[in-house]
Amino acid sequence: MNPKIALVTGASSGIGYETALKLLSENYEVYGIGRSYPDDLPEGFHPLVFDLSDTLALPAFIKANVPAEIDLLINCAGVSYYGPHETLSVKSLHEMVSVNVEAPLILTNLLLRGLRERGGTIVMISSVTAKQSNNTFGCAYGATKAAMSHFSDSLFEEVRKSGVRILTLHPDLTDTALYRNADFRPADTPDCVLSPAEVADAVLWATKARCGMVVRDITLRPQRNRIERRK
């Protein structure tokens, strides 16, 4: 049997990388979009270097580097900036909107016809902040993730009759580089932070649901809520 084909954004680290590895173990051929990759990638992993904030160049890049018809699209790439809203730069706001909102919309637009034909699946890695209205010092990031989740909900109703499955995950604090631009990080005890592999396991479980059943929404949270200030 020919392997199924998946496109994963944010595949060079964190949740995206762990998800790509798990898909490879399930006989997927994986095209991963990221900014840099380790040297020892497994067979079947096609690393694609691209800055997703350059959304105007994205269609041409996808046409040149990704098969026209794929079975699975995982919109995982994300960027965040934190602080009082008036302190954020316009560049930071643009980057969050382009990577967290525009890129998933564009990729879905480009690949949806092929996904319809193959009865494929789209996974949106959103955030628990999409469900919250009290994202103090992270209101812009929360707004971009809320937009992603809302798009996912509406798209499911639009395409469900064609057999395309739309899944949304809302992970809480996860041990990734998402907080590299913040003055805090998740506490490093296992009950205060999720691992990228745990989120990837949830992605894989949801995508393997029987044909005819759709896991629309998964929220993953650590047992405790605790962050630590960076020194």
Side-chain angles (χ1 to χ4, degrees):
M1 294 179 61
N2 293 327
K4 291 184 176 182
I5 299 174
L7 174 62
V8 182
T9 68
S12 56
S13 64
I15 296 170
Y17 181 71
E18 292 294 334
T19 300
L21 296 182
K22 292 182 185 296
L23 291 173
L24 289 169
S25 71
E26 295 290 326
N27 199 37
Y28 276 86
E29 190 171 349
V30 177
Y31 289 78
I33 297 179
R35 298 195 181 191
S36 63
Y37 291 88
D39 296 328
D40 55 343
L41 293 174
E43 184 178 354
F45 194 130
H46 303 273
L48 304 175
V49 177
F50 185 79
D51 181 355
L52 284 171
S53 66
D54 188 6
T55 51
L56 293 179
L58 185 55
F61 180 83
I62 293 299
K63 183 177 181 180
N65 293 281
V66 179
E69 294 182 344
I70 65 171
D71 301 279
L72 175 62
L73 168 62
I74 300 183
N75 288 305
C76 183
V79 63
S80 63
Y81 291 90
Y82 299 92
H85 189 68
E86 69 273 18
T87 68
L88 300 182
S89 68
V90 172
K91 181 179 178 181
S92 298
L93 294 171
H94 169 73
E95 186 179 0
M96 283 192 286
V97 172
S98 57
V99 173
N100 299 351
V101 184
E102 286 186 43
L105 266 64
I106 292 170
L107 288 170
T108 302
N109 170 268
L110 296 173
L111 299 169
L112 188 55
R113 284 187 175 88
L115 288 163
R116 283 180 185 270
E117 293 173 2
R118 299 167 76 90
T121 300
I122 301 173
V123 179
M124 307 287 190
I125 307 296
S126 184
S127 166
V128 71
T129 59
K131 298 184 173 186
Q132 299 171 342
S133 59
N134 61 338
N135 297 311
T136 306
F137 303 124
C139 55
Y141 171 71
T144 64
K145 287 300 185 176
M148 186 182 197
S149 295
H150 186 84
F151 169 65
S152 180
D153 290 343
S154 297
L155 184 66
F156 173 66
E157 297 299 336
E158 181 177 314
V159 303
R160 62 189 303 184
K161 289 183 179 180
S162 67
V164 178
R165 298 189 300 172
I166 313 292
L167 323 177
T168 310
L169 270 74
H170 294 94
D172 201 344
L173 292 167
T174 307
D175 186 16
T176 71
L178 182 69
Y179 310 103
R180 62 186 178 274
N181 301 313
D183 62 357
F184 67 89
R185 61 179 177 83
D188 57 7
T189 56
D191 60 349
C192 292
V193 66
L194 306 171
S195 74
E198 288 171 330
V199 181
D201 281 337
V203 172
L204 194 63
W205 173 79
T207 60
K208 293 172 71 174
R210 70 166 177 84
C211 182
M213 184 184 81
V214 182
V215 181
R216 277 289 304 123
D217 181 359
I218 299 177
T219 299
L220 301 172
R221 308 198 72 173
Q223 181 65 40
R224 299 180 186 275
N225 180 26
R226 185 161 62 89
I227 60 174
E228 296 177 352
R229 296 294 173 186
R230 296 187 184 276
K231 297 180 180 179

